[in-house]
Amino acid sequence: MAQISFISDIEKIPLLVKNDVTAAAAGHAVLCIGIPGGRSAIPLIQGLLLCPPGVIARMRLYLVDERLEGERNADSLRKAGLKQLEQQGTCLFIPNLDGSFISGEALCLLYLGVGEDGHVASLFPGSYPLLDRIETPFVVCVENSPKPPPRRVSVTYRWFRTVAATAKVRLLFLGDSKQQAWDRYVSKSERADSLPCIFFEDAGFDVTVVTDLKKELR
C-alpha cells in the first residue's frame, strides 16, 4: 500500500522536495530525477532551487512528457525557475522519438502530477496495458490527447518499469480539481487501464501519495 503525506497547501511542496533531494544526495553521486510538466512541476522546481549548489550541479532532470504544439513544457518550466538550475549545472532531458532521451541511469526520485482523469505524464485512460508491453518503446507519440494540446510525446509504463524500479515515487494529488481522481484512487476499485496513476502501486513501486485532499486511504 502506498504511504500518504497530507499537506496543508501547495506551499509545503518545495520543502518536501528539498528534503527528498538532500536525502537522495547522500547515496547518489548523480541525482536522476523524473519530473512532470504543467502546473504540478512549478513547486517542484522551487524546491530544487532550495538545494545547495553542489547538489544542484549533480541533478539530471528527466521530463516525462512534452507538448508538440503550443508552449512547450520545458519552456514553461524554464520561466518558473528551471533556467536558474541549468545555469548552476543541472541537466534537463526532454523526451523525444530519436532514442537520445535515455541515459541508462536509474532514477532515484520520480515526481508525477496526477490529472483530473487519473493520468500521469501523457498516459491517459486506455493507454494501459498497450504501453507496458515488452516491445513498447520507452517514448511514444500521443496524437489524440483528451486534453489540449492533442499532440505530445510521453514516456511509457515500460520506461517507468525500466528506469524507476528503485526510485521513490511521489504521486501528487493537489487542488480541488483532483478530488474525483483521488476518490477513485483510494476506492481501490479500478486498475491502470481506467486509472493510470494506480499503476505504480499495483506494480509494487515505492509510492508516497502527496495530497492536500482530506480522505483516508482504505
Side-chain angles (χ1 to χ4, degrees):
M1 177 179 291
Q3 300 180 60
I4 180 170
S5 178
F6 284 116
I7 58 173
S8 57
D9 57 63
I10 198 170
E11 293 182 0
K12 305 294 184 182
I13 295 292
L15 182 58
L16 180 150
V17 171
K18 178 192 175 185
N19 291 340
D20 278 350
V21 175
T22 301
H28 297 83
V30 177
L31 296 164
C32 297
I33 304 170
I35 61 170
R39 289 172 296 176
S40 295
I42 293 175
L44 303 180
I45 298 299
Q46 294 170 346
L48 296 177
L49 285 166
L50 295 175
C51 295
V55 172
I56 290 175
R58 292 156 55 191
M59 293 178 188
R60 295 183 179 178
L61 305 183
Y62 289 82
L63 189 59
V64 297
D65 67 340
E66 181 58 292
R67 301 176 177 187
L68 294 179
E69 299 170 341
E71 185 174 45
R72 301 296 193 262
N73 284 333
D75 293 335
S76 298
L77 296 184
R78 287 189 173 104
K79 291 177 182 178
L82 175 60
K83 187 175 181 179
Q84 295 171 252
L85 293 172
E86 291 178 309
Q87 290 170 342
Q88 296 181 65
T90 294
C91 297
L92 175 68
F93 296 87
I94 302 170
N96 56 65
L97 301 174
D98 66 11
S100 63
F101 177 65
I102 304 302
S103 69
E105 295 175 301
L107 301 183
C108 59
L109 292 167
L110 172 61
Y111 296 94
L112 293 170
V114 178
E116 289 83 352
D117 58 359
H119 78 268
V120 290
S122 286
L123 299 172
F124 296 96
S127 59
Y128 184 90
L130 177 65
L131 297 183
D132 193 33
R133 295 175 179 173
I134 193 168
E135 68 274 15
T136 300
F138 285 146
V139 178
V140 294
C141 185
V142 177
E143 298 281 1
N144 57 347
S145 165
K147 64 178 292 186
R151 298 188 67 249
R152 303 157 174 259
V153 289
S154 178
V155 301
T156 62
Y157 301 99
R158 179 171 170 252
W159 184 80
F160 287 128
R161 285 192 190 274
T162 303
V163 304
T166 60
K168 293 185 180 300
V169 180
R170 306 297 192 233
L171 292 180
L172 310 176
F173 289 83
L174 301 173
D176 292 341
S177 65
K178 311 301 173 60
Q179 185 69 58
Q180 185 177 28
W182 174 235
D183 290 344
R184 293 170 63 196
Y185 184 91
V186 300
S187 74
K188 306 297 184 186
S189 62
E190 297 184 61
R191 299 277 66 88
D193 57 340
S194 60
L195 192 70
C197 60
I198 203 73
F199 161 79
F200 298 93
E201 187 171 346
D202 286 352
F205 285 70
D206 180 358
V207 179
T208 298
V209 171
V210 180
T211 185
D212 56 357
L213 302 171
K214 300 296 185 181
K215 184 171 182 178
E216 297 291 342
L217 286 171
R218 298 178 183 178

